[in-house]
Structure formats: structure tokens, C-alpha cells
Amino acid sequence: MKQQIAHIIIMLLTGLNAWSQTTVTGTVTDGRKPLAGANVFIMGTIDGCMTDSLGRFSFKTSQTGELTLRATFMGFEDYTLTTTQPTGLTIRMKERATAIDEVVVTASTYSFGKSDHFKTMDAHDVVMSGNSCGDIVAALQSLPGTQKVGEDGKLYVRGGESDECQTFVNGMHVLVPYSTNVENTASRGRFSPFLFKGINFSLGGYSGEYGQALSSVLPMETTDVATGDKLGVSGSLVDWNIGGTKAFSKSSLSFNADLTSMDIYNALSPDRFEWTRPYRKLSAEAQYKADFSSATVLKTYVGYDLTSVGQHIDERSLSMTEHNVYANATLKTNIGHGYTLFAGMANSTVINHIDDALTLGDHYENTRNEVHLKGELRKVFSPVLKWSAGVEDYIRHSTKRYEGDGYGLDYQLLAAHTDAQLRLVPKLFLNLSARLENATYDGRWLLMPRATLSYVPNKRFQLSAMVGCYSQTANDEYIAMSGETLRQSTADHAILSMQYSTNGTLLRIEPYYKKYRHLPLLREGIYTAEGYGTSRGLDIFVENHSLVKHLTTTLSYSFNDSERLYLDYATPQTPHYASRHNLRLSLKYALGKTIIGLSESYASKRHYANGDTPYYNSIDANITWLVSPKVIVYTSLNNILGRTNIFGYEADGKAITANRDRFFYIGIFVSLKNNKAYDISNF
């Protein structure tokens, strides 16, 4: 009898519950098509469901009377509806407009590491690129827009001189980012790629924040405060390194020491040059970083390089020594009301001594110093407006002494900039910026407007158009020889950029045009600002990860047509460093714990007064072996076929070639104290 009563009670309660439930039905669309996978639920409850492939939803709820429904779907604004008739509903959702601080315009910029743009390399890829031998600059030369100039190894971008590309560390200018070397021998970048979490290489069209660069900028952001201790060593036939990091609760201190010497390598593999002292460089670096709070970050860096090399040339024994010191300190902090303050200071000092520089027994001495001061305010006012403004001061000093002659030069570059990023409509973005500069030695003010218009309909496609004006002071020696009247050179950029990406492929196509004005021109022993020039071309970049499993294929092609009248040119002509066609194809294949790389580099002829050079060609290979989580072995061979590439001609017609046709490198990287596998721990 008791069991029967219990069954009756359960049936009555079940029937009451079924009787009290409400069915909610409807369809979710974007106004054109149904949205599958949208989440629809009753606010304040767990009652709800996901829409099916036709955008339909149906669920039951114990709620009665007036119901408040919420619909959410990635990429769309949340939809809220209050109703007493919850069946047959039609929910039309609006696509969410991207906030201005979420959009990333990648036009004319290639980024490596944990930066804000498209990721194509990290520090390991820079080190292990086919012909880089751990050099950032050599790795960047695999990108479109760069040109192969083997006799000095520096960055030449879109028809511009090497000094038209400027380097910045944490937003602060680096006066000389290369190590020194003898003439017709490639220099290396002086910074290790492991210093940086992000490397953004802009080929043109950059905002008003960056000045004193006619062609391109290379901004690099050092790593954040370390969370664990590190210690690592590495060694090869040409360099030996030790470095590490000590982590504290909210700060970290890092050091790095490196010795590069060609003594052993030259003894094992003599080259074409007659060395009196093989190339040697001793480097030391240190960083201190602190997170005082989530809104205040301090970063400091100091580095010193001592480089020496000697070469026997004809009857001379040329001897070079360079001291290169660079230090900076930056602070970012939130000062309230949504404003972020950036303040930075950097100092660069480069001292060069050369004996037997031009004639037997002569002595050349050059000292350059720059203090860079910078302050900037930044704020995101709303989802449609992001703004920044700043001021800068470059304080420069330069002296040259050579056989009783020379100069002393002191001047300042004062600058201010403002930058506004706007979302015009949900998929259309406009960046407007302006930079104002004054060189104190001539008193002229330059106003340089810049603009970028970008259409970003989704994460796969981007179309951008950029225009702007850029300036740069001439070489200190040219300024001194002009009687300190040589005005700044300017370049107008116009760039159209199209980028399309899928899960496995990135395609970027960029035509560009540059017009130069006020280039230094030597006439009757005096430099004037009457030089001019143009540079136009097309860059194509393709990266694919889907042709074959574990294979990454990269293709870079650049066409450049440039002409200029400057320096000692008698008539307008193609600069001697510019080749019309540059092509690089690279393959990287992962086979277990071994990574195999192969690359092909080609550059068409270069024009000289006494003849055109043959084309440049080099096939390079590298193998990386992940021996254990704490040991990495890297080896590379440049110019496998041993082709003798001719980079140009001396005035007497002698061909300019590299000191050796092939270069073999093998390095071992060991982490002595690090919990992260396959992490090169030298910094």
C-alpha cells in the first residue's frame, strides 16, 4: 500500500513538472544565412542549447511568464530579447565590429617572435636560417624588398642605401647596429636574436613614431622579466658564448659574454685575403628588467663590443679597432585616466681607429656619439579611436681626425609626432600621423604627414594603401663638408599591400614607389642637397606549411627599378648596390628531432661604370639536431657549389669578391640550468 502511494505521488509530481515547463524555439541568423553553433539561453539559468546546422534552437525551461533570452556567437554582438511568446522566434545578430586595439595592420611589415603581427619566425628560426649563422641581419635578407650586397652584408631595402634602414631597441635608436670589418667583407648585426621577443621589420610606410629613416625601420622589443633562472653555453670554430639569467620575484638580471675569433678557422681554411690579425670581437651585454606592478615596467640594456682586425694590402698593413657601446633604459607606466606614459633614454658611442688606412704610416680616428631622449603618451579612447603623441631629441657629436685634417660636429634633432588610429566603419581602418623635425645646424623645420588606409574584412584578407613623407640627415662627414648647410634628405613612399592567408599558406603582394629629394651631391669638393632619385618595384612573399607534412616552403621575390643622382655620380643612374631581380627559395623539413634546411638565393647583375657584374647565386644548407632537451647542434654550409660571386669592380677593373667562396659553421648550444626544453639559454 505504501509503495502504491509513493508511485502515485511521483507520477503527480512528474506530471506537474511537465505541465509547468515552457518550450522555447526559434532561428538565429545574421540577416542572410543561419548561424550554426550559436548559444541561446535564458538569462540567470542554465536552460538553453546550441543552434543546429540550420540555425534552429529548441529547449525547455521551467521558467514562466516573461523570459529574457541571450544569444551569443563568436564575432557577433550579443543579442538580448525579452518576450512572453518564446516560440517561433527569429533572432538576427549583428557582426561585431573589431575594436581599434584589436586590429593588426601588417602591410609592409614582417614580424618574428612574440610580436603583434603575422608570425613567420622566432629567434630559433633566425639562428637556424640557411645562411644566417645566427645573424639577425642575414636572416632578414631572406625577405622580399631586401637586396643582396655581399661585399658588406648590410640591409639594403627597396633601392635604398644601407644607412637608410634604422634600428630601434625598445623604441630607442641604435646609432651603429653592425660590427665593423675590413672593406669588401660582410659585417654582422651586433645583437643576438635571443635578446628579443619581437622583431618587426618594416619595409616602408611606417608611422610618425619613427624618424631618421628614409627606407625602412627595424624595431626590436627585448624579452620580458624572466620567471626562472637560466644558464647556457655555446661553442663553434669561430665563436664561444656564455650567458644566463637570475630571476627574482618581480625582476630579473641577465648577462651574456661572447668571443668571436677567426684564428682557428683561417688556419684550417685559408682565404683570399692576407691577414695580419684575424677578425676578433669581444662582446659583453647585460639587462635588468622589473615589473613594479601590472602597469609599470622598467627595461634596461647595456652592451659593449671591442672589434679588431688587420689586413695586408699592397704595401700597407691596415689595422682596425672599434669600440661600440650602446645602452638604453625605458619605462612604461599607467598614469591614470587610461593614459600610458613611455619614457626612454639611449646612448650610442662608436670609436674607430685605423692605421695604414689609405697610405703607409697614416692614422684615421673617428668618434661618434648620440644621446636619444624620448617621451610618449598613448591612450585608447574608445573602440574606434587609438591615439599617441610624443617628443624626441637626438643629441649628436662627431669628430674625425686624419693626417692633420678633420672636423668636429655638434647638433641636435628635435622632433614631435602624433598618431591617430581610427575605425571608420566595422572593416575599414585609417591611420593618420604626422612628424615634425628640426635639425639645429640649418634651422629648417620639416612637417611629414603619413596615412594608411586598411580594409580588413576578416582574419584571412587585408588590403592596405600607404603614403607618407620621411626624412634623414646625411652622413656627418657630408654635413661638415657642406659647411653645416646640408639639409635633410626626404623620401615620399606610396605602397599598396595585399595579404591573404589560410591555415597553411600566406601570400603577400606589394607594389611600391619612392621619390627621393635633397640627396647629398658632391660638386667641386662641396656637398649640396641637389641630389634626387626614384625607386619603384614589386615584392612577393609566399609561405606554405601544407604542401608536404612537416615541410615549410618560403618564396621571396623582389623587382626593383631605381635611379638616382647623388654623391659623386655625374648623371642619374642605377646605384651600384641595386640589382633588378632578387629571388630566394627556402625549404625547411622536420624529420623527428632533426631539422633540415635548404635555400637558393639569386640576384641579377649590378651596374658599375666599368661593367656589369654577373648574376649572384648561392645554394645554402643547414641541419639542426635536437640531441636532447638541453643540447642543440646546428651546422650550415653556405654556397655549396662554390660559385665565385662577383659583387662589383674596383676603379682599376679588379673584381670584388668574398674572401672565401664557401663557409662552414657548426655550433653546439647547451642549457645548463633551464626547465624549458630546446631553449637556447644564453640570455
Side-chain angles (χ1 to χ4, degrees):
M1 187 67 172
K2 291 181 180 180
Q3 289 180 344
Q4 291 177 343
I5 294 174
H7 285 308
I8 292 171
I9 292 173
I10 292 172
M11 291 177 62
L12 287 173
L13 290 174
T14 304
L16 181 63
N17 182 62
W19 174 80
S20 64
Q21 281 190 328
T22 301
T23 300
V24 182
T25 64
T27 305
V28 179
T29 74
D30 64 357
R32 300 183 304 275
K33 61 182 184 298
L35 295 179
N39 187 20
V40 183
F41 59 95
I42 303 294
M43 292 281 287
T45 75
I46 60 172
D47 300 334
C49 69
M50 305 285 283
T51 57
D52 63 16
S53 61
L54 298 178
R56 299 174 302 192
F57 63 90
S58 178
F59 62 91
K60 295 183 182 297
T61 179
S62 59
Q63 304 294 311
T64 59
E66 189 175 77
L67 304 178
T68 300
L69 275 74
R70 171 69 61 87
T72 63
F73 190 68
M74 184 174 293
F76 287 77
E77 295 179 2
D78 291 353
Y79 181 95
T80 302
L81 172 68
T82 300
T83 181
T84 57
Q85 300 293 330
T87 58
L89 299 174
T90 298
I91 295 177
R92 180 177 295 180
M93 301 187 70
K94 288 184 178 181
E95 189 171 356
R96 181 173 64 86
T98 304
I100 192 66
D101 58 342
E102 296 175 21
V103 70
V104 176
V105 176
T106 60
S108 216
T109 297
Y110 291 85
S111 301
F112 316 118
K114 297 177 182 178
S115 50
D116 296 330
H117 301 275
F118 182 84
K119 179 181 181 297
T120 58
M121 285 188 191
D122 59 18
H124 295 83
D125 292 317
V126 171
V127 169
M128 299 167 190
S129 179
N131 66 345
S132 74
C133 293
D135 183 25
I136 291 176
V137 173
L140 291 174
Q141 289 171 354
S142 67
L143 295 174
T146 62
Q147 299 192 288
K148 185 65 179 181
V149 184
E151 65 269 34
D152 70 9
K154 299 178 181 179
L155 283 172
Y156 291 75
V157 178
R158 290 179 171 172
E161 275 272 21
S162 62
D163 59 7
E164 294 178 19
C165 175
Q166 296 295 309
T167 300
F168 296 83
V169 173
N170 295 337
M172 307 307 296
H173 185 239
V174 181
L175 187 62
V176 179
Y178 301 99
S179 61
T180 191
N181 214 328
V182 298
E183 192 175 8
N184 300 328
T185 302
S187 301
R188 289 172 61 88
R190 66 178 300 245
F191 296 108
S192 164
F194 300 105
L195 282 170
F196 307 105
K197 67 173 182 178
I199 302 172
N200 297 319
F201 184 37
S202 176
L203 302 174
Y206 29 95
S207 69
E209 178 183 359
Y210 298 111
Q212 290 302 296
L214 283 181
S215 287
S216 61
V217 292
L218 178 59
M220 301 186 288
E221 182 76 16
T222 58
T223 55
D224 296 326
V225 172
T227 57
D229 294 347
K230 289 184 177 183
L231 181 64
V233 295
S234 65
S236 72
L237 291 176
V238 297
D239 59 352
W240 299 267
N241 179 286
I242 182 171
T245 296
K246 177 63 178 177
F248 306 99
S249 60
K250 292 185 177 181
S251 63
S252 61
L253 179 65
S254 303
F255 77 95
N256 190 61
D258 182 88
L259 174 64
T260 301
S261 174
M262 294 298 297
D263 290 77
I264 299 175
Y265 197 96
N266 287 348
L268 295 174
S269 176
D271 59 19
R272 295 187 177 95
F273 292 174
E274 186 179 344
W275 303 102
T276 58
R277 184 170 68 252
Y279 178 89
R280 296 168 189 155
K281 185 178 76 166
L282 177 64
S283 301
E285 299 168 290
Q287 290 187 87
Y288 176 74
K289 293 166 283 190
D291 290 341
F292 297 112
S293 69
S294 60
T296 303
V297 178
L298 171 71
K299 289 186 176 183
T300 64
Y301 168 86
V302 60
Y304 169 70
D305 293 345
L306 170 61
T307 307
S308 64
V309 62
Q311 181 186 8
H312 189 74
I313 305 174
D314 300 326
E315 301 301 319
R316 296 180 290 130
S317 293
L318 180 143
S319 176
M320 300 176 61
T321 301
E322 180 184 85
H323 302 269
N324 191 334
V325 181
Y326 177 74
N328 75 21
T330 62
L331 178 71
K332 292 181 183 178
T333 183
N334 189 332
I335 59 175
H337 303 289
Y339 286 94
T340 300
L341 172 67
F342 172 90
M345 178 175 64
N347 182 86
S348 298
T349 301
V350 183
I351 303 172
N352 282 287
H353 292 275
I354 306 177
D355 291 318
D356 286 3
L358 297 176
T359 61
L360 185 65
D362 68 4
H363 178 74
Y364 171 90
E365 179 182 333
N366 178 229
T367 299
R368 299 173 63 192
N369 175 259
E370 176 188 82
V371 176
H372 181 205
L373 306 174
K374 182 177 180 180
E376 188 177 57
L377 277 177
R378 304 165 184 169
K379 182 175 181 178
V380 179
F381 282 95
S382 71
V384 300
L385 175 61
K386 184 179 181 180
W387 171 86
S388 66
V391 293
E392 290 179 273
D393 188 6
Y394 294 81
I395 306 168
R396 291 179 175 174
H397 168 76
S398 178
T399 61
K400 171 189 167 183
R401 298 289 180 266
Y402 179 71
E403 297 300 285
D405 192 14
Y407 63 81
L409 186 65
D410 292 278
Y411 66 93
Q412 288 180 255
L413 283 163
L414 306 174
H417 78 272
T418 184
D419 188 296
Q421 299 180 45
L422 304 99
R423 188 187 73 202
L424 302 179
V425 294
K427 300 175 183 178
L428 192 64
F429 301 87
L430 177 65
N431 180 287
L432 294 174
S433 64
R435 186 175 179 88
L436 183 67
E437 285 188 349
N438 171 260
T440 58
Y441 64 80
D442 72 352
R444 291 186 177 92
W445 286 92
L446 281 176
L447 178 62
M448 293 161 285
R450 305 168 187 180
T452 300
L453 182 65
S454 299
Y455 174 61
V456 189
N458 50 55
K459 293 183 178 180
R460 291 189 173 187
F461 181 76
Q462 186 175 127
L463 181 65
S464 298
M466 295 176 286
V467 293
C469 181
Y470 303 84
S471 70
Q472 188 172 349
T473 58
N475 181 289
D476 286 347
E477 183 169 356
Y478 303 159
I479 296 174
M481 291 179 64
S482 73
E484 299 187 24
T485 62
L486 189 62
R487 64 185 300 178
Q488 293 195 67
S489 302
T490 62
D492 297 326
H493 293 198
I495 304 167
L496 182 65
S497 176
M498 187 279 289
Q499 177 174 298
Y500 178 77
S501 61
T502 64
N503 291 334
T505 303
L506 170 73
L507 169 66
R508 182 182 290 180
I509 301 174
E510 291 190 354
Y512 63 88
Y513 175 79
K514 291 194 291 185
K515 186 171 184 177
Y516 292 93
R517 296 183 178 90
H518 311 302
L519 295 176
L521 183 65
L522 183 62
R523 290 293 182 264
E524 300 179 356
I526 297 176
Y527 279 98
T528 70
E530 297 175 359
Y532 57 87
T534 60
S535 179
R536 69 198 79 190
L538 174 70
D539 294 335
I540 299 175
F541 180 79
V542 182
E543 185 176 74
N544 181 272
H545 301 271
S546 60
L547 291 177
V548 177
K549 191 176 181 180
H550 306 306
L551 176 69
T552 299
T553 306
T554 304
L555 172 69
S556 298
Y557 169 73
S558 297
F559 168 79
N560 177 259
D561 177 21
S562 57
E563 183 179 81
R564 58 172 61 188
L565 176 69
Y566 83 134
L567 300 184
D568 58 353
Y569 287 15
T571 59
Q573 59 185 272
T574 300
H576 64 83
Y577 54 78
S579 49
R580 187 172 288 256
H581 303 280
N582 283 266
L583 175 70
R584 180 178 172 90
L585 174 65
S586 65
L587 307 174
K588 185 172 69 174
Y589 185 73
L591 184 64
K593 293 186 177 182
T594 302
I595 303 169
I596 303 170
L598 186 68
S599 64
E600 155 70 15
S601 298
Y602 166 86
S604 59
K605 64 183 181 181
R606 289 162 55 186
H607 176 72
Y608 278 76
N610 49 3
D612 293 341
T613 67
Y615 67 88
Y616 170 90
N617 188 67
S618 178
I619 298 176
D620 312 312
N622 66 286
I623 298 176
T624 303
W625 180 26
L626 308 176
V627 181
S628 76
K630 293 184 178 292
V631 179
I632 300 175
V633 175
Y634 168 76
T635 180
S636 67
L637 176 61
N638 293 353
N639 196 13
I640 293 174
L641 301 181
R643 174 184 170 84
T644 301
N645 288 299
I646 297 176
F647 301 119
Y649 300 101
E650 304 280 8
D652 59 3
K654 181 181 178 181
I656 299 172
T657 64
N659 59 322
R660 51 170 49 89
D661 292 329
R662 294 188 183 94
F663 187 83
F664 176 73
Y665 179 88
I666 180 168
I668 301 174
F669 302 85
V670 181
S671 297
L672 301 176
K673 186 177 183 181
N674 185 18
N675 295 324
K676 185 178 179 182
Y678 305 118
D679 180 34
I680 298 175
S681 303
N682 300 71
F683 234 124

